[in-house]
Amino acid sequence: MRSFSCRVCHASLYFENSVCVRCGAKLAYSRSEKAIVPLNPVGTYYDNDGREWYVCQNLVTAGCTWLAEVRGGLCFSCALTRIRPSDHDAVGMRGYRIAEEAKRHLIVELDTLNFPIVTREEDPEFGLTFDLLSSVDEEVVIGHEDGVITIDLAEGDDSYREKVRSKLDEPYRTMLGHFRHEIGHYYEGLLVQGDLLTRARELFGDDEADYQEAIDRHYAEGPPDGWESKFISTYATMHPYEDFAETFAHYLHICETIENAREFGLVTVAPATSFVRFRDVVVGVWIPLAIALNQINRGMGKEPLYPFVIPDPVIEKLEFMAMIRVVRVENPLSDPSRTMAVRRV
């Protein structure tokens, strides 16, 4: 996530700003330009090609500040949502706003790292879409299946999320973290094939192992002894699918945080994606930065920002995540619907 500034007065901006607090200019995010741009007096934006863009329909409903191609239409991020709560579900709508904000953040990360996003419109069977569901009247299970990512909007409530985090003895649980984890399942199915699939099985284990048996064993027995030497979290020990998704989420955690630190001058290194080996990013940049950030948080009476230890086998897994990103850049997919059928989590 880069730092943003107002094109009118050059004041610093947050990603979600719809108005500049210094000069009052109305703003919107342009996905094509990867920048926050000022709107003209009639509330639209003309890009360098003379194309007119409009404020997303969800500006009020979901606090969306992105530009849409059609007047009264949805932006790219909001259009990825297939199901959302009813307007009459006040609790669900509060969570919906939080979830959409996290999803917009995720899309920017994926765009920056050049991961493909195949929409449901492009691939009706396996394209990416989101069901953001309210659990006020029904049970919702967070998960991914055939490109559909389901999120329980109750996770937008801090007290609920903290209760679940404590019950499951997790060191970290956020709405954005859920999106990063579930998108990992999506990319395992979309990108891991051929030689990459062989390497993935060497690192993460047999992905064809019975998933339900793995769930039952994990919740009955807990993680195996010594799990800390091979996995990033206890949840990652459950099944190779979950190990992959957990590791992918941490790959995004690391790249995003380093980029933020770079943008604000906290570290003076090249972007994480420019390193030849991701191991060098983890050992040389991330671990020292994470220690410093943890100490800063402790100095404010807060919990560590990154409460994880990264053993060498996990570094190898993180290297794999960087590898599939590079393979994607060098070899764009010609038939995304075919590759989406490889994995169904």
Side-chain angles (χ1 to χ4, degrees), residues 216-257:
D216 295 341
R217 180 177 63 253
H218 178 77
Y219 286 111
E221 303 174 8
D225 292 338
W227 67 268
E228 301 93 336
S229 65
K230 296 180 180 179
F231 299 91
I232 192 65
S233 68
T234 58
Y235 194 71
T237 69
M238 187 172 73
H239 188 278
Y241 281 147
E242 300 306 339
D243 192 10
F244 184 98
E246 282 285 271
T247 307
F248 189 88
H250 280 261
Y251 176 73
L252 295 185
H253 292 334
I254 291 168
C255 288
E256 165 79 359
T257 307

Side-chain angles (χ1 to χ4, degrees), residues 115 184 187-188 191-192 200 203-204 243-252 278 314-327:
F115 279 104
Y187 283 120
E188 184 174 10
L191 300 178
V192 180
L203 289 169
F204 300 97
D243 192 10
F244 184 98
E246 282 285 271
T247 307
F248 189 88
H250 280 261
Y251 176 73
L252 295 185
F278 200 71
V314 173
I315 296 179
E316 291 296 317
K317 295 172 186 178
L318 289 167
E319 284 245 282
F320 182 79
M321 301 305 160
M323 182 194 306
I324 65 172
R325 190 197 73 82
V326 172
V327 169

Side-chain angles (χ1 to χ4, degrees), residues 140-206:
V140 176
V141 178
I142 298 172
H144 166 270
E145 184 176 5
D146 294 343
V148 180
I149 290 177
T150 301
I151 298 293
D152 180 5
L153 296 178
E155 293 284 335
D157 180 78
D158 291 343
S159 60
Y160 172 86
R161 191 176 61 255
E162 175 59 22
K163 182 169 66 176
V164 176
R165 187 199 67 77
S166 179
K167 178 181 178 181
L168 298 179
D169 195 27
E170 297 174 334
Y172 171 92
R173 191 179 183 92
T174 67
M175 181 67 83
L176 181 56
H178 288 313
F179 277 97
R180 286 171 172 165
H181 175 99
E182 298 306 332
I183 204 72
H185 288 307
Y186 169 74
Y187 283 120
E188 184 174 10
L190 185 66
L191 300 178
V192 180
Q193 53 188 297
D195 291 341
L196 287 178
L197 179 56
T198 301
R199 178 58 176 154
R201 286 172 173 166
E202 291 173 355
L203 289 169
F204 300 97
D206 180 12

